[in-house]
């Protein structure tokens, strides 16, 4: 009975997908027959996802749903469209067809990166002198004792797709971290963060942390933990 209770209500999930909305900004010429003027140039598209997220919807919400306007979650087999509605009328400004299939995939790898900070570099774009490239790079090195690092994870599926772990609902799984050398690094939980936090103790190097992605307790079919993926 205990095993049956644990297994109830847990089904396979459809894959998730990140949604980005790209567009061009165009100014029409004042005179008929003139050339269109593109912001930065005709080869440039701008990411306006944050600007339109409140005006996005899925035509058939039983097939898929939008999570916070940026993550598409499949719900059942079928075909639908993501639509961007005009804030001024009922017009559909853009739409994209989405198909939900039943091709099963499995998790093949859990990627893990420790993040102690970020560095930002700026440089002029080679394609336009009016655009600047901003590149953020994660720093992984713990420089001093008690310095902390956050865990960044992504999962790879058997079809080759890769997705950041934080787009999935944390109620469906848990993430545990184990120090492989407690003299060098320690693990603790901070209520401000979803995942465990790593802290430096003394000097050391190599594979120092093991991370496990475990199915949620309510979905466990036995008392033995079901590990979905392992990374280090």
């Amino acid at each position: 009975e205990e095993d049956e209770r644990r297994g109830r209500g847990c089904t396979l999930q459809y894959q998730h997908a990140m949604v980005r909305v790209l567009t061009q900004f165009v100014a029409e010429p004042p005179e008929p027959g003139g050339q269109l003027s593109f912001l930065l140039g005709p080869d440039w598209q701008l990411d306006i996802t944050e600007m339109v997220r409140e005006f996005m919807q899925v035509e058939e919400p039983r097939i898929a749903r939008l999570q916070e306007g940026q993550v598409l979650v499949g719900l059942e087999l079928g075909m639908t469209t993501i639509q961007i509605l005009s804030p001024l009328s009922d017009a559909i400004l853009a739409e994209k067809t989405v198909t939900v299939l039943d091709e099963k995939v499995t998790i093949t790898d859990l990627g893990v990166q420790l993040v102690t900070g970020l560095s930002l570099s700026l440089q002029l774009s080679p394609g336009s002198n009016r655009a600047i490239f901003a590149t953020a790079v994660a720093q992984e090195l713990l420089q001093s004792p008690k310095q902390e690092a956050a865990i960044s994870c992504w999962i790879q599926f058997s079809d080759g797709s890769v997705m950041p772990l934080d787009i999935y609902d944390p109620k469906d799984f848990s993430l545990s971290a184990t120090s492989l050398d407690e003299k060098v690094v320690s693990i603790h939980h901070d209520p401000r963060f979803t995942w465990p936090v790593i802290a430096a103790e003394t000097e050391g190097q190599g594979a120092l942390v093991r991370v496990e992605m475990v199915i949620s307790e309510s979905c466990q079919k036995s008392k033995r933990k079901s590990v979905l993926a392992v990374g280090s």
Side-chain angles (χ1 to χ4, degrees):
E1 292 181 0
E2 176 71 12
D3 290 351
E4 290 181 3
R5 183 189 66 79
R6 287 173 175 269
R8 284 196 197 109
C10 300
T11 59
L12 295 177
Q13 291 191 14
Y14 289 100
Q15 283 179 275
H16 295 24
M18 301 288 290
V19 177
R20 293 178 63 198
V21 181
L22 305 176
T23 191
Q24 292 178 316
F25 285 89
V26 181
E28 295 185 354
E31 301 294 335
Q35 291 187 342
L36 297 175
S37 178
F38 293 86
L39 179 64
L40 298 180
D43 297 329
W44 286 77
Q45 290 185 318
L46 287 83
D47 189 337
I48 60 167
T49 309
E50 286 293 330
M51 297 173 60
V52 301
R53 60 188 300 180
E54 295 183 2
F55 308 107
M56 297 171 63
Q57 70 173 22
V58 177
E59 184 181 17
E60 292 287 348
R62 64 180 178 81
I63 294 177
R65 66 180 172 88
L66 270 174
Q67 187 172 286
E68 298 180 354
Q70 291 183 310
V71 179
L72 185 67
V73 182
L75 299 177
E76 66 175 57
L77 299 180
M79 183 179 294
T80 184
T81 59
I82 300 177
Q83 299 173 337
I84 301 176
L85 306 179
S86 169
L88 304 177
S89 67
D90 295 332
I92 298 175
L93 301 180
E95 59 183 354
K96 176 70 175 180
T97 301
V98 174
T99 304
V100 180
L101 304 175
D102 63 350
E103 298 176 1
K104 290 183 173 63
V105 297
T106 57
I107 298 175
T108 58
D109 189 31
L110 175 66
V112 178
Q113 182 180 28
L114 300 186
V115 180
T116 61
L118 296 173
S119 62
L120 182 68
S121 63
L122 302 175
Q123 60 181 358
L124 286 175
S125 166
S128 173
N129 58 9
R130 294 180 294 168
I132 295 176
F133 278 159
T135 305
V137 178
Q139 299 172 344
E140 302 180 75
L141 188 63
L142 291 162
Q143 301 280 1
S144 59
K146 302 305 178 183
Q147 183 182 359
E148 295 181 340
I151 296 177
S152 175
C153 295
W154 58 94
I155 47 180
Q156 180 169 338
F157 294 94
S158 54
D159 64 353
S161 60
V162 178
M163 286 292 160
L165 187 59
D166 55 10
I167 72 171
Y168 293 87
D169 194 333
K171 71 177 176 52
D172 295 325
F173 65 93
S174 62
L175 204 67
S176 64
T178 304
S179 173
L180 301 180
D181 190 340
E182 294 184 351
K183 294 181 179 179
V184 179
V185 294
S186 60
I187 314 291
H188 67 276
H189 292 269
D190 189 319
R192 297 174 299 172
F193 301 100
T194 305
W195 315 130
V197 177
I198 315 300
E201 299 297 336
T202 59
E203 290 186 6
Q205 60 182 352
L208 299 173
V209 178
R210 173 187 172 92
V211 178
E212 290 185 341
M213 180 183 177
V214 181
I215 194 170
S216 64
E217 185 177 352
S218 62
C219 293
Q220 298 281 350
K221 293 184 178 180
S222 67
K223 293 183 179 180
R224 182 181 178 184
K225 288 185 177 180
S226 298
V227 178
L228 297 173
V230 177
S232 60

